[in-house]
Amino acid sequence: MTPSDREATGLLTHPDDLVRLLDATGGRHANPEFDPWVADLDVDALVDLHRDMVVVRRLDAEATALQRQGELGLWPPLAGQEAAQIGSARALHDDDFVFSSYREHAVAWLRGVRPDELLSVWRGTAASGWNPFEKRMAIPNIIIGAQSLHAVGWAMGARWEDSSNASIAYFGDGATSEGDVNEALVFASSFDAPVVFFCQNNGWAISEPVGLQSKQPLARRADGFGMPGIRVDGNDVLAVLAVTRWALDRARRGEGPTFIEAVTYRMGPHTTADDPKRYRTDDDLAAWRERDPITRLHAFLEASGIDVEALDADAKAAADRAAAELRAGLTAIADPEPMSVFDHVYAEPNSHLERQRDRYGRYLAMFDEEGER
């Protein structure tokens, strides 16, 4: 990766301002400000973080393979972003509410979403894969950045009800150029909404480098909205956990929103319909493989004296179970009845929807009539 490439991506132009507790080789770096936020983590908790990342990487690989086999219509891979998602999701309380984009499969996994619920939307058998109120996580949002407004609205309601809960909005670097995200930042700041804006800066808004839309780190945009902005090494699960805990604590204490920029990298394509080789180099990819979030935590655990053979065996067994559950869940998904597309569109019936239902029913009936001839 050349210096010009680094400048174009906007990822490494300011490497020194990243919060980092584990470096790329697994070395532990002291940080007086953020060390206390992960001081409670014992070996078992670190092993859990490692297992989480291994499992979701396997699930992501399985889903990508299933799409290539024609079992899914599309899949947006998360490979490389495991630490950003696992670290931040582990910081949440059960009653907090998550508003995600379409790539936060690891967050969904930790919120208790079953594999069949995760895949049904991408298989085209459901408009929403799970009950948001049960999982405390809204269904994936395809409209870029719209979930940020939803997160702020929920957070404002929580504040007015004197709730101690917070919301978190996940979005990518490309979404920061959308009006919805900027409007959400304005509302959140104006009303001191207990919300965390979690931007996964994975380097590419589909095929355009982040440097095209921002000449400065994205976290610096928070200054203009009157809220703290912080950059964290998104491949360092400990640093992500610490920073997100800190931001959520601010929100719960009534100090308002925080903007987190997790600097990470999308190792795969934007979606399975994308070919990243058309716009990035193998050298770029190789440089980021050296910063792999799973390898980094594994090295730290090994240096701590843990039995890495047992660690690897445990993680592999968990990943195998999850992969088997995912494939079994996929084959168990039944095709929906055609008329069910009208279910759950509105809370109450209305004439507009009933007219559509009637027309569609008559359209389907034509095929039955043709079959009888």
Side-chain angles (χ1 to χ4, degrees), residues 144-224:
I144 306 299
Q147 70 276 10
S148 58
L149 285 169
H150 305 160
V152 173
W154 189 95
M156 289 169 62
R159 185 170 186 268
W160 291 336
E161 293 176 355
D162 291 325
S163 169
S164 62
N165 298 322
S167 66
I168 186 169
Y170 289 92
F171 48 85
D173 46 283
T176 60
S177 292
E178 293 286 342
D180 282 2
V181 172
N182 289 272
E183 292 164 7
L185 292 167
V186 169
F187 267 88
S189 180
S190 298
F191 292 95
D192 289 325
V195 57
V196 174
F197 297 99
F198 194 91
C199 174
Q200 292 176 88
N201 181 356
N202 64 19
W204 297 92
I206 305 183
S207 58
E208 298 294 352
V210 66
L212 277 182
Q213 63 181 326
S214 183
K215 302 301 182 183
Q216 295 291 336
L218 296 174
R220 293 188 179 180
R221 294 187 177 185
D223 293 342

Side-chain angles (χ1 to χ4, degrees), residues 102-120:
Y102 43 78
R103 201 183 303 278
E104 280 71 47
H105 318 307
V107 180
W109 174 256
L110 289 188
R111 299 304 274 183
V113 174
R114 300 192 314 269
D116 60 305
E117 294 175 319
L118 188 63
L119 296 183
S120 59

Side-chain angles (χ1 to χ4, degrees), residues 1-231:
M1 190 175 187
T2 66
S4 60
D5 289 332
R6 292 189 179 93
E7 185 174 355
T9 61
L11 287 174
L12 300 180
T13 48
H14 300 272
D16 295 333
D17 63 356
L18 292 176
V19 176
R20 180 181 291 121
L21 303 183
L22 292 180
D23 62 28
T25 63
R28 183 69 163 88
H29 293 259
N31 186 308
E33 183 176 1
F34 288 103
D35 280 345
W37 292 100
V38 289
D40 62 311
L41 298 184
D42 57 15
V43 172
D44 289 340
L46 294 172
V47 168
D48 287 345
L49 290 172
H50 176 266
R51 185 192 305 111
D52 288 339
M53 291 194 289
V54 171
V55 167
V56 296
R57 179 168 290 186
R58 175 66 178 279
L59 290 174
D60 185 59
E62 291 287 337
T64 300
L66 287 167
Q67 193 282 327
R68 300 306 191 198
Q69 295 164 14
E71 297 291 344
L72 301 177
L74 189 72
W75 181 254
L78 64 78
Q81 298 178 224
E82 294 88 358
Q85 295 190 22
I86 293 297
S88 58
R90 281 293 184 192
L92 296 167
H93 291 179
D94 290 343
D95 288 337
D96 293 334
F97 216 104
V98 175
F99 295 86
S100 75
S101 71
Y102 43 78
R103 201 183 303 278
E104 280 71 47
H105 318 307
V107 180
W109 174 256
L110 289 188
R111 299 304 274 183
V113 174
R114 300 192 314 269
D116 60 305
E117 294 175 319
L118 188 63
L119 296 183
S120 59
V121 169
W122 304 105
R123 190 172 172 84
T125 58
S128 59
W130 60 83
N131 185 328
F133 299 102
E134 290 179 358
K135 309 300 183 184
R136 305 293 286 179
M137 178 174 181
I139 60 174
N141 201 315
I142 304 298
I143 303 172
I144 306 299
Q147 70 276 10
S148 58
L149 285 169
H150 305 160
V152 173
W154 189 95
M156 289 169 62
R159 185 170 186 268
W160 291 336
E161 293 176 355
D162 291 325
S163 169
S164 62
N165 298 322
S167 66
I168 186 169
Y170 289 92
F171 48 85
D173 46 283
T176 60
S177 292
E178 293 286 342
D180 282 2
V181 172
N182 289 272
E183 292 164 7
L185 292 167
V186 169
F187 267 88
S189 180
S190 298
F191 292 95
D192 289 325
V195 57
V196 174
F197 297 99
F198 194 91
C199 174
Q200 292 176 88
N201 181 356
N202 64 19
W204 297 92
I206 305 183
S207 58
E208 298 294 352
V210 66
L212 277 182
Q213 63 181 326
S214 183
K215 302 301 182 183
Q216 295 291 336
L218 296 174
R220 293 188 179 180
R221 294 187 177 185
D223 293 342
F225 295 97
M227 68 181 69
I230 186 167
R231 300 183 91 214

Side-chain angles (χ1 to χ4, degrees), residues 262-276:
V263 180
T264 181
Y265 196 75
R266 193 191 75 215
M267 302 299 288
H270 177 71
T271 70
T272 47
D274 173 39
D275 179 10

